[in-house]
Amino acid sequence: MVTKEKVLAYMNESAYRPMTEGELVVAFGIPPAEVRRFRRLLKELENEGDIYVTRAARYGLPERMNLVAGRLQGHPKGYGFVIPKRPGEPDVFVGAANLNGAMHNDRVVVRVMPGRNGKREGEIVKVLARANERVVGTFQRRGKHAFVVCDEVRLPYDVLIPPGRHNGARSGDKVVAAITAWPAPKRGPEGKVMEVLGPADAPGMDILALCRRFGLPEEFPRKVVAEAESVPETISEADLDGRRDLRSWTIVTIDGEDARDLDDAVSLEVLRPDRWRLGVHIADVGYYVREGGALDREAAKRGTSFYLPGMVIPMLPPRLSNGICSLNPRVDRLTMSVVMEVDGRGEVVDYEIFPSVIRTTERMTYTSVRKILRDEDPAVTERYAPLVEHFRQMERLALTLRERRFRKGAIDFNLPEAKVKLDELGRPVELYRVERSIAEQIIEEFMLITNEVVARHFRVLGVPFVYRVHERPDPAKLQSLQDLLHTLGYAVRGFPEVKPGALQRVLDQVAGKKEERLVNAVTLRSMKQARYATEQLGHFGLASPDYTHFTSPIRRYPDLLIHRIIREVLEGGLSAKRAKALKTRLPELARHSSDQERLAVEAEREAMDLKKAAYMQDKIGQVFPGIISGVTPFGMFVELENTVEGLVSMTNLTDDYYTYEEKGYRLVGQRTGKVYRLGDEVAVRVLRASVESRQIDFGLPDASI
């Protein structure tokens, strides 16, 4: 049978010249009964950007026609960049005049043309798939005409809404509009209002509009709710068959104060000095969410839970995520346990993986554990007196495991997290930076070692599985990092064959120095994104050959997915038929889960940016100390202590004309020689904070201030 791989391999042969569909049918010997299927296969390859059809209806590979297939990343100023589908290929700049109706996030084909300064430029020649069939924005009337001003700033068009298509919207309403005519070189898009969300300034409207714009799921479908309601709220004796009873063990959860979906619990026993038995007990979600059911299909579709300021969009209905699956204190819960014997060097010398039933002793918070271990708060220490020694031993083991990770070459950026406190109307009243304490580190280290053990176990068994992989950094980005380090007097050992430990050594060298923020930022940008895959490609950042996500099945679908596989293996193994079915299905589920994770990260980041801009609106004119977090040809970004980031544009640097030096990540004054470099401390004045554009503008304070 002719497959996509065979077609691509044939077209990649040096002797191949673009052929018509009929010629390809003859070349592959397609029988008449199979021509329709072959035509569909060609259409799929075309829609995916793997092949291109010329005006003469001839098929070929885009890269052999000076074409690039990829996704368009728009810019608020009208131009864009095509991010190629083929990994490692440089982006293609597309000017506003050459977009030819393509919009942000569309899948496109671009013709590459000679560019300036050696950079690739192009013109969009085909839109393969539209990404913005619906847009969210503010409805506005301008004279006789009506428009929707898009919330997505990378859609620099106002959508014209003709008479009769307003759906009752009034000026100032936030709406959802469907595009009925795509933009052309001399006109913008047209549309019709499909849904009126309400006044743009209504409480909570910012997050509601964001959910609509990102297509985030909201209410669970009726079938999903019905299936969730059918799950018992308590455990029966029948549920305990085949499970090890750990209800007499001292087991605790440690989470944030506002967490409701508690999917991991830990236990620790000291066997002898420098020898521990660590138990990590994970909610057995797969026992309740059966494969192929309505709950499972919805969880697979969502892929993850979404955590936005003031709200959570869970992967599973609250009846499960906050109820029977959540490891709430002092109630029986079904779990999958990994019990490991760990030596004084942090090495796992023995382990077991088995289904269990537990009853947690206490629901701890990061704050309370930190107060016991670091602050030695007498009231908190007295309250949890029976557990204090447990936490001290957990600290010892966590630090031992952490030392092992670094010994193996893992990288740790220790990036702070931003938190926002909202009032009852959803308005931000406090914005602050949260640093990882020993409490967070305990859970982090215990989960990391558990995920390694599980990944290694099932990789050795050779069963179909989903791994968490983090590939080696892009060589070009590593070269840029090395160039920067040379200017600062540092270097990555072993370059260009860089190991993660070499990068960590550089981070250690700059710790506490002025250039620490600069080096951390550029090192992080040199990394690839972690993703889910069915091949065990290793995890570069953790310096681990084996890694997976096993510990959060309430909020991550890949974890739930591998829980099922683990259960099947433990209960007798996978049949050849089942293994074949998993090998077919898992790659797409892994890809979709990676896509949903990126969607969640982008939505959560933008939601925080909305709240940050709103928080800074009453700070106009105030001066704050900050750190230069980015340097570009159009200005520099400055990050405040509360994690707010704003732009000091070139036009607001009025004391001189500044030149951008890309390799040095700095701006240099042409007359004064003054230098602004990534990582430098600088004071800034708040000039503007726009919720609509999620942008904050800074200027430099007057010399007299």
Side-chain angles (χ1 to χ4, degrees):
M1 186 176 74
V2 178
T3 64
K4 292 180 180 180
E5 290 72 23
K6 288 181 180 178
V7 172
L8 294 175
Y10 180 69
M11 292 184 180
N12 203 36
E13 293 177 1
S14 58
Y16 179 81
R17 296 293 179 270
M19 299 169 67
T20 65
E21 179 189 302
E23 291 169 339
L24 287 168
V25 166
V26 173
F28 281 103
I30 307 294
E34 290 291 314
V35 169
R36 182 175 294 179
R37 191 197 69 82
F38 183 67
R39 186 178 295 132
R40 286 200 304 268
L41 184 146
L42 292 177
K43 189 63 179 176
E44 288 174 10
L45 285 168
E46 180 191 356
N47 290 341
E48 292 166 6
D50 292 320
I51 64 176
Y52 184 75
V53 186
T54 68
R55 291 180 181 177
R58 293 184 175 273
Y59 293 83
L61 299 179
E63 56 268 27
R64 297 183 67 177
M65 301 178 180
N66 200 34
L67 301 171
V68 172
R71 191 168 293 279
L72 178 65
Q73 187 174 84
H75 189 276
K77 292 187 177 179
Y79 57 82
F81 292 87
V82 173
I83 314 300
K85 181 178 181 181
R86 298 174 71 193
E89 198 173 348
D91 299 347
V92 182
F93 172 80
V94 183
N98 291 323
L99 289 174
N100 293 330
M103 300 169 72
H104 171 66
N105 254 347
D106 285 350
R107 203 160 67 244
V108 300
V109 177
V110 59
R111 176 179 291 112
V112 180
M113 306 182 296
R116 293 162 290 183
N117 302 320
K119 295 186 177 180
R120 301 206 301 177
E121 296 187 15
E123 178 184 10
I124 304 293
V125 295
K126 183 179 288 187
V127 176
L128 300 173
R130 292 287 186 178
N132 303 283
E133 293 183 349
R134 293 196 176 198
V135 298
V136 177
T138 305
F139 185 82
Q140 292 184 357
R141 289 183 180 274
R142 299 174 190 167
K144 297 180 180 179
H145 303 287
F147 297 86
V148 171
V149 180
C150 297
D151 284 358
E152 172 55 78
V153 294
R154 289 169 292 188
L155 295 176
Y157 302 100
D158 292 346
V159 180
L160 176 67
I161 308 296
R165 295 187 170 185
H166 298 177
N167 196 17
R170 295 178 294 183
S171 279
D173 278 348
K174 195 68 73 173
V175 301
V176 179
I179 302 293
T180 57
W182 298 105
K186 293 186 178 180
R187 64 165 176 80
E190 291 186 13
K192 60 180 179 179
V193 174
M194 303 299 295
E195 182 182 9
V196 179
L197 301 178
D201 57 356
M205 184 56 68
D206 54 351
I207 297 298
L208 174 61
L210 181 138
C211 289
R212 288 287 200 281
R213 181 155 57 86
F214 279 91
L216 303 188
E218 294 176 59
E219 299 297 323
F220 285 95
R222 283 198 300 269
K223 286 185 178 180
V224 175
V225 173
E227 190 173 309
E229 291 294 332
S230 70
V231 175
E233 293 185 298
T234 57
I235 293 169
S236 69
E237 283 299 316
D239 296 328
L240 306 185
D241 288 349
R243 293 183 181 274
R244 197 174 303 182
D245 192 340
L246 308 182
R247 286 176 288 188
S248 63
W249 289 26
T250 299
I251 300 175
V252 299
T253 58
I254 307 177
D255 292 275
E257 278 84 353
D258 54 355
R260 297 291 179 268
D261 48 354
L262 313 180
D263 47 15
D264 58 84
V266 294
S267 61
L268 190 65
E269 179 185 356
V270 181
L271 301 177
R272 58 179 185 270
D274 291 334
R275 184 66 65 111
W276 299 269
R277 180 176 288 123
L278 169 65
V280 174
H281 316 277
I282 307 301
D284 192 357
V285 181
Y287 184 80
Y288 299 103
V289 181
R290 299 307 172 99
E291 185 174 11
L295 277 168
D296 181 50
R297 293 195 302 272
E298 183 67 17
K301 181 181 175 183
R302 295 183 179 217
T304 185
S305 294
F306 298 83
Y307 296 89
L308 306 175
M311 71 178 296
V312 177
I313 302 175
M315 184 179 79
L316 297 169
R319 182 181 174 89
L320 274 72
S321 60
N322 298 354
I324 190 65
C325 291
S326 184
L327 306 183
N328 298 328
R330 294 173 289 281
V331 292
D332 293 354
R333 288 293 184 259
L334 305 182
T335 46
M336 294 291 290
S337 292
V338 181
V339 177
M340 299 157 277
E341 192 170 327
V342 187
D343 67 16
R345 286 177 54 80
E347 300 294 342
V348 176
V349 297
D350 196 12
Y351 66 89
E352 289 183 280
I353 304 171
F354 54 88
S356 55
V357 56
I358 69 169
R359 182 183 298 147
T360 58
T361 307
E362 192 62 73
R363 186 252 198 264
M364 301 297 297
T365 66
Y366 294 128
T367 301
S368 58
V369 174
R370 188 195 71 241
K371 286 183 176 181
I372 291 169
L373 296 177
R374 285 291 176 267
D375 303 340
E376 298 183 355
D377 184 294
V380 178
T381 302
E382 182 180 355
R383 178 182 175 187
Y384 299 110
L387 296 172
V388 169
E389 185 56 30
H390 276 78
F391 297 135
R392 288 175 179 156
Q393 286 296 330
M394 285 181 181
E395 177 182 7
R396 281 194 62 206
L397 177 54
L399 295 177
T400 301
L401 291 171
R402 182 176 171 82
E403 184 181 336
R404 167 192 171 271
R405 275 203 303 121
F406 291 142
R407 190 168 65 244
K408 290 182 176 292
I411 305 172
D412 186 15
F413 291 100
N414 193 23
L415 298 173
E417 182 184 357
K419 286 281 189 181
V420 60
K421 183 178 179 181
L422 307 177
D423 64 15
E424 64 280 358
L425 297 178
R427 296 175 302 206
V429 294
E430 186 180 358
L431 188 63
Y432 54 96
R433 182 186 299 261
V434 179
E435 304 283 352
R436 280 186 306 169
S437 72
I438 184 60
E440 285 88 354
Q441 289 178 12
I442 286 172
I443 295 302
E444 178 182 316
E445 295 299 335
F446 290 0
M447 299 306 120
L448 287 173
I449 195 66
T450 304
N451 286 329
E452 281 192 20
V453 165
V454 171
R456 182 169 64 248
H457 182 85
F458 288 91
R459 190 257 302 162
V460 170
L461 287 181
V463 299
F465 213 63
V466 174
Y467 299 97
R468 181 68 168 177
V469 302
H470 184 219
E471 293 151 288
R472 294 181 59 80
D474 179 73
K477 290 185 177 180
L478 278 180
Q479 182 64 62
S480 296
L481 172 63
Q482 185 78 327
D483 291 343
L484 169 68
L485 292 174
H486 279 152
T487 67
L488 300 172
Y490 304 98
V492 180
R493 290 184 190 175
F495 186 85
E497 296 299 320
V498 175
K499 295 182 178 180
L503 295 175
Q504 184 60 46
R505 276 191 290 272
V506 171
L507 298 181
D508 291 340
Q509 287 175 323
V510 301
K513 298 180 181 177
K514 181 180 179 181
E515 58 266 26
E516 179 180 10
R517 183 75 65 98
L518 162 64
V519 174
N520 270 269
V522 180
T523 303
L524 180 61
R525 290 170 194 166
S526 73
M527 297 287 151
K528 288 188 177 178
Q529 283 187 313
R531 62 186 177 91
Y532 297 105
T534 52
E535 299 172 272
Q536 180 52 302
L537 304 175
H539 197 293
F540 181 84
L542 294 173
S544 176
D546 300 294
Y547 198 67
T548 191
H549 271 172
F550 162 80
T551 54
S552 296
I554 292 177
R555 61 184 179 88
R556 292 190 306 228
Y557 191 73
D559 304 51
L560 170 56
L561 197 57
I562 67 169
H563 271 238
R564 289 205 192 98
I565 296 172
I566 292 169
R567 176 189 303 283
E568 291 182 61
V569 171
L570 293 178
E571 291 180 350
L574 303 175
S575 66
K577 182 180 179 181
R578 174 62 169 162
K580 183 179 179 181
L582 285 172
K583 284 182 180 178
T584 300
R585 186 166 178 252
L586 290 181
E588 173 57 25
L589 288 172
R591 184 201 62 76
H592 178 70
S593 296
S594 297
D595 290 345
Q596 289 300 102
E597 178 189 41
R598 283 191 284 272
L599 176 69
V601 169
E602 187 176 354
E604 290 161 17
R605 182 186 299 123
E606 184 148 326
M608 279 299 297
D609 287 345
L610 279 169
K611 297 302 184 184
K612 287 178 180 180
Y615 178 76
M616 296 301 290
Q617 283 188 318
D618 64 356
K619 312 290 189 299
I620 306 300
Q622 295 183 30
V623 175
F624 297 91
I627 299 286
I628 298 176
S629 55
V631 182
T632 72
F634 51 83
M636 60 184 180
F637 289 93
V638 175
E639 183 181 318
L640 309 185
E641 179 58 31
N642 62 9
T643 75
V644 164
E645 187 177 62
L647 174 67
V648 181
S649 68
M650 285 291 199
T651 55
N652 288 325
L653 290 171
T654 56
D655 63 330
D656 200 349
Y657 291 105
Y658 284 84
T659 302
Y660 170 58
E661 294 186 359
E662 184 176 7
K663 283 192 174 182
Y665 293 87
R666 63 184 193 170
L667 302 176
V668 180
Q670 296 177 9
R671 178 178 54 82
T672 61
K674 190 170 185 178
V675 174
Y676 291 105
R677 188 177 65 179
L678 197 65
D680 284 352
E681 296 179 358
V682 62
V684 292
R685 183 187 301 278
V686 183
L687 301 181
R688 189 174 73 98
S690 169
V691 173
E692 290 74 22
S693 65
R694 278 83 68 197
Q695 184 171 322
I696 297 164
D697 292 333
F698 292 149
L700 298 181
D702 297 334
S704 59
I705 296 177

